Each structure stands twice: as C-alpha cells, then as structure tokens.
Amino acid sequence: MTDEHIQPQASRNFETLAIHAGQEADPLTGAVVPPIYQVSTYKQDGVGGLRGGYEYSRSANPTRTALEENLAALEGGRRGLAFASGLAAEDCLLRTLLVPGDHVVIPSDAYGGTFRLFAKVLERWGVEWSVADSADPSSVRDALRPRTKVIWVETPTNPLLGITDIAAVAEIARAAGARLVVDNTFASPYLQQPLALGADVVVHSTTKYMGGHSDVVGGALITSDPGLGEELAYHQNAMGAVAGPFDAWLVLRGAKTLAVRMDRHCANASRVAELLVSHPKVTQVYYPGLPEHPGHEVAAKQMRAFGGMVSFRVAGGEEAAVEVCNRARLFTLGESLGGVESLIEHPGRMTHASTAGSALEVPADLVRLSVGIEAVDDLLADLSQALG
Ligand SMILES: *Cc1c(COP(=O)(O)O)cnc(C)c1O
C-alpha cells in the first residue's frame, strides 16, 4: 500500500490532484513520473490475457490513461478522454451526441474553429445550428428548437471575453432535455469547474493553458455521467483521433504547474488591463476582471480569478490595430494562447478570419493578448511602446 491510498483522492485539493491524480509511481521501476509508453501493441498472456487492460494504443495507452485520469480529477468529473486536438475532441463529442436533423445552439462569439466545425463540416451532415448571445440566458432559451440536443457555451469567450452564467444555462438545458457543453479552455479547471455548475461535458483545447508551454496540440472531454463517458470512449476508439503518448505526457507535465501558472497569468493580465483602460489609444478593453465588464459579477461568482486573456480595441481602426500587433516585441505575434510566453494577435485577420461576414464576425480594430508569466513590468513597457 502506498500512502496514495490513505486519503481518498476526491478529498484532495486542486494543486495536489494536479501533481498526483492518475500518476502513482511506476510499479515496475518506481519512476515518479509516468513513462512515455511509446508503443502500439501489448503482449497478451494467452489469448485475451491482457495485462492491465491494454491491447492496442488507439483503444488505450498507459500514458494517455494517466492524463485522462488527471483531467477527470481536475474537472471533478468521472471520465476524462484525451484527443489529438481540441477540435478532434469537439468532433468526437458532437458525432456521439447528434444525428442528422438535430439542432445545436452556439454562442455568438465562439472560437473560430468551433464555428467552422458547425458551419462548414457538420452542416453538410444535416446538423442544424443557430447562434445565441449566451451572456444572456434568455437569448439561449429563445434559440431552442424541438430538436435542440446540445447547448454549446464558451466562457470566457474568445476573443471578446464574454461571460455566460453556467448554472443558469444548465437549468435551461435540463428543462429542454439538451446537453450543456462548456468549452473551458480559457478558464482552465483551476479557475472554473463547469461540471459542478451543471454542465454535462467539459471541452478543452489542452494546447492552451493545460499544456501551458506552446509545445503540444491536444484536446480533452470530461464528463461526470458514466454512461455518456462510455459512449464517448467508444467513439474515441471508433473514430481514432487520440492523443499520442508523448503529447499526453507533455499535457500531464503542464497540468502539474497549472495552478501556479494561472495565478501569475491572472495577476499579470489584470495589470495589463489596468494599463489599457487608461491608455488614450485604446477605445475599449475586454477583461472580466474589470468592474465595468458586463459579465464581471457572474465571473466573480463562478471563477476563482479572471484569467490571462485580454482583448482591446484601438483608436484609428483596423490598420492601427494591425500596427500595434506588428510593433510589439516581447509580446510575440502569433495565434494560440495559454503558454508561459505572451502573445499578441489580430483576430479579424488571424484566428477569426473564418467568421468574416457571419454573425460571429469580430471587430476589425480588435487586438487579443494572451498575457504570459514574464515580469509584468517588461510586458507593460512593451505594450506602451507598441501603442506608441
Ligand atoms: C484553440 C481552441 C480550440 C481548438 O483547439 P485545438 O487544440 O486548436 O484543436 C477550441 N476552443 C477554444 C476556446 C480554443 O481556444
């Protein structure tokens, strides 16, 4: 018996689970970190005699299992599943839950790739969707149809940092017989735990804060419904877009420092938001930590802190916004988010270009920051010079 068995895992605190859940010392060698099981198949002790249930690495792999158990613990769920990307996780989830003719409500400022998955891929397979302002639960209720099977929520949203009251929308979903899916990528499980607020499934792009070092692309699904967990695992294996062992290992390593990284991301982002609010070249700042943000109170209720993402609009329009992105030096011009290094981007021309002309189009003068964990004074100095 190791001391892991003395205290039930569920009673442990987040920071402890992040380091230990799913990761007992390797029984063979005592290695304190789960090995990268870079293997496709497993020797059977006689036909069907599997050791530990492993037969083929699409179905299950020990490194991935460690990550999946860790993710389930961090979100307070029963089942975690790790995928090759966030979009692979979303695709698996939607093809598990939906058949042609079903309807989905999606938020008006969803992640561009999520929107594209609905508008350009699933629509061809007969899935119907409509857009709601999920910051306003009555807008979600108005968008329901008799065949609404999924309500999709992202909070905070990308790139406008809109906030959805998860518990309020969970009630609407339950009354409608629909599943509530929450994309928790921006908050991470350290800041927000949607399952406890009534969500049925949590989605992550583990590429972002979970991995945290801009060195891996991955995705995850977590649910507390064991039946749904089984169905998702069935489809994960049937469709095959699983996380590879090394990618799973990188996300698992990132998870260990999630809490300390998020604390610094949040502290730095709130200083950045303060600077931007008082800057003459900035016409609007989107950060849920600001008291004037329309979702501030809901965010304060359902989040531990307000996250590391800040968006703002620049006086002078699109060209001025692009100029700010081009002038930044310490903030690296690039897509993605959630890594230790600060990033800057122009959503209209970069991450959200595919939403042009749709209800999800973003303002042309918008700049999005992923505030990293560098020394905050260096970040503030770089933004000041980029704004000119
Ligand atoms: C990046 C992202 C995704 C997609 O994840 P990938 O890992 O890039 O496939 C989904 N949702 C949000 C909020 C994201 O930021």
Side-chain angles (χ1 to χ4, degrees), residues 363-378:
D365 57 2
L366 191 75
V367 172
R368 189 188 77 179
L369 304 176
S370 172
V371 180
I373 66 171
E374 300 95 335
V376 71
D377 289 340
D378 295 335

Side-chain angles (χ1 to χ4, degrees), residues 226-262:
L228 178 57
E230 273 312 305
E231 275 181 67
L232 291 170
Y234 177 86
H235 283 83
Q236 180 195 39
N237 180 51
M239 290 158 60
V242 296
F246 185 47
D247 289 357
W249 186 89
L250 283 169
V251 176
L252 199 53
R253 186 173 68 163
K256 291 175 202 287
T257 56
L258 180 65
V260 288
R261 284 187 286 109
M262 289 313 294

Side-chain angles (χ1 to χ4, degrees), residues 85-87 90 111 154 158 183 185-186 205 207-208 217-218 337:
S85 71
L87 282 171
E90 295 184 16
Y111 172 71
E154 219 183 285
N158 179 14
D183 183 335
T185 298
F186 268 39
S205 169
T207 313
K208 317 293 170 53
V217 171
L337 60 111

Side-chain angles (χ1 to χ4, degrees), residues 76 111 125 136 208 218 256 284 296:
Y111 172 71
W125 299 90
D136 171 12
K208 317 293 170 53
K256 291 175 202 287
Q284 194 171 352
H296 177 69

